[in-house]
């Protein structure tokens, strides 16, 4: 076993196991302070990558930017991530955020004419642009959750929307994390799942309503309803 593998095996072995079911969880299995102490074992380059990933997914540093600038800056940070698997994981979340933003804009009455610019992430942008007026942007077969999210946004049901998206993210991390147990991607997946648990265990109905309001009034920079 190489030194790096041994170190990351030691790191991950020191962490409590995440629960299988998100919504049965009452508290994170470890505090963020204790988690950060374990993450001190990361190599410098991996620590930098994890910081990039968390910054991209938490978005807080981009609130002053418009969507075009958010995408431009976000892509610079995304390209700097060295691991191809982790780049896919991050792009999946950014694409989810893009779809939620599009649903919000359509709910607000915004129209998108053919050829008009729409800033966002991921390959699904072409569906959004081509099928703007369709409930699920023509992605029923590819992403069945989009129609459900669209209906919840249209019906002003923030609690159900938050639960839907949290469950979607949780299941995605469980699925893509299979096959990564004692390497750097496994560490990142652990941290991202911790973020989801932390969000759920600090769940607040009033805050969910506020995040929903944020969703329906913000651009890509402000979609913290994309939950963590």
């Amino acid at each position: 076993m190489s030194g790096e593998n041994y170190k990351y095996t030691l790191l991950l072995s020191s962490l409590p196991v995440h629960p299988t079911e998100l919504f049965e969880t009452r508290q994170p299995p470890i505090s963020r302070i204790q988690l950060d102490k374990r993450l001190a074992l990361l190599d410098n380059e991996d620590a930098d990558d994890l910081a990039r990933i968390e910054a991209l997914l938490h978005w807080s540093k981009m609130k002053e930017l418009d969507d075009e600038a958010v995408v431009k800056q976000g892509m610079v940070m995304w390209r700097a991530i060295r691991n191809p698997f982790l780049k896919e994981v991050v792009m999946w979340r950014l694409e989810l955020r893009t779809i939620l933003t599009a649903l919000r804009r359509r709910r607000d009455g915004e129209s998108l004419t053919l050829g008009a610019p729409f800033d966002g992430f991921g390959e699904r942008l072409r569906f959004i642009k081509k099928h703007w007026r369709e409930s699920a942007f023509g992605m029923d077969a590819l992403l069945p959750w989009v129609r459900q999210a669209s209906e919840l946004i249209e019906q002003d049901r923030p609690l159900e929307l938050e639960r839907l998206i949290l469950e979607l993210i949780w299941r995605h991390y469980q699925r893509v994390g299979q096959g990564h147990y004692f390497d750097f991607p496994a560490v990142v997946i652990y941290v991202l799942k911790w973020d989801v648990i932390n969000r759920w265990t600090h769940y607040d109905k009033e805050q969910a309503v506020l995040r929903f309001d944020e969703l329906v009034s913000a651009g890509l920079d402000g979609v913290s309803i994309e939950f963590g």
Side-chain angles (χ1 to χ4, degrees):
M1 182 179 293
S2 69
E4 179 177 303
N5 287 343
Y6 174 76
K7 189 163 59 175
Y8 288 179
T9 299
L10 182 66
L11 190 165
L12 286 159
S13 298
S14 73
L15 296 171
V17 177
H18 282 317
T20 303
E21 299 299 328
L22 171 63
F23 297 123
E24 294 178 0
T25 307
R26 295 293 175 264
Q27 65 180 23
I30 185 173
S31 70
R32 184 67 204 210
I33 292 175
Q34 291 300 320
L35 176 57
D36 286 340
K37 288 182 179 178
R38 309 294 203 282
L39 295 175
L41 283 173
L42 290 174
D43 291 340
N44 290 337
E45 288 186 332
D46 287 344
D48 289 343
D49 263 356
L50 178 58
R52 288 189 193 94
I53 291 168
E54 292 203 278
L56 263 170
L57 300 184
H58 291 169
W59 241 210
S60 59
K61 294 181 180 178
M62 300 187 183
K63 279 189 173 297
E64 303 83 13
L65 306 178
D66 59 26
D67 284 357
E68 182 180 2
V70 165
V71 172
K72 186 175 181 179
Q73 183 171 325
M75 288 304 296
V76 170
M77 296 173 66
W78 179 80
R79 291 189 185 99
I81 299 171
R82 294 167 303 130
N83 186 290
F85 166 77
L86 294 176
K87 291 177 81 169
E88 289 184 11
V89 171
V90 171
M91 185 53 68
W92 180 86
R93 279 284 294 277
L94 296 177
E95 185 175 82
L96 183 151
R97 181 174 293 157
T98 295
I99 294 170
L100 288 173
T101 299
L103 291 173
R104 182 270 302 171
R105 289 184 173 180
R106 190 177 60 192
R107 167 233 164 90
D108 270 1
E110 185 173 327
S111 61
L112 188 66
T113 57
L114 189 63
F118 182 88
D119 297 300
F121 299 92
E123 297 180 354
R124 309 292 189 251
L125 268 174
R126 57 192 173 91
F127 285 89
I128 294 172
K129 293 176 180 178
K130 186 176 181 180
H131 303 282
W132 179 258
R133 297 184 182 279
E134 297 180 27
S135 176
F137 298 127
M139 296 187 283
D140 281 293
L142 289 171
L143 304 172
W145 64 268
V146 177
R147 177 177 293 279
Q148 189 176 354
S150 174
E151 292 172 354
L152 292 174
I153 289 174
E154 294 291 338
Q155 297 165 8
D156 288 342
R157 294 165 62 187
L159 308 184
E160 292 89 344
L161 177 63
E162 180 147 14
R163 193 178 176 99
L164 170 69
I165 300 303
L166 283 175
E167 176 75 4
L168 181 70
I169 295 170
W170 181 257
R171 294 300 175 200
H172 183 73
Y173 289 159
Q174 285 189 316
R175 184 169 57 257
V176 300
Q178 294 178 3
H180 292 278
Y181 301 103
F182 296 107
D183 54 9
F184 176 57
V187 175
V188 174
I189 293 295
Y190 187 96
V191 173
L192 295 181
K193 291 178 74 174
W194 185 94
D195 287 338
V196 176
I197 292 174
N198 189 53
R199 170 69 66 143
W200 169 245
T201 55
H202 290 83
Y203 185 76
D204 184 302
K205 292 182 179 179
E206 293 182 359
Q207 286 300 316
V209 173
L210 290 175
R211 284 194 290 275
F212 182 84
D213 292 341
E214 186 180 16
L215 170 68
V216 299
S217 62
L220 275 172
D221 62 318
V223 190
S224 64
I225 196 171
E226 193 274 297
F227 317 93

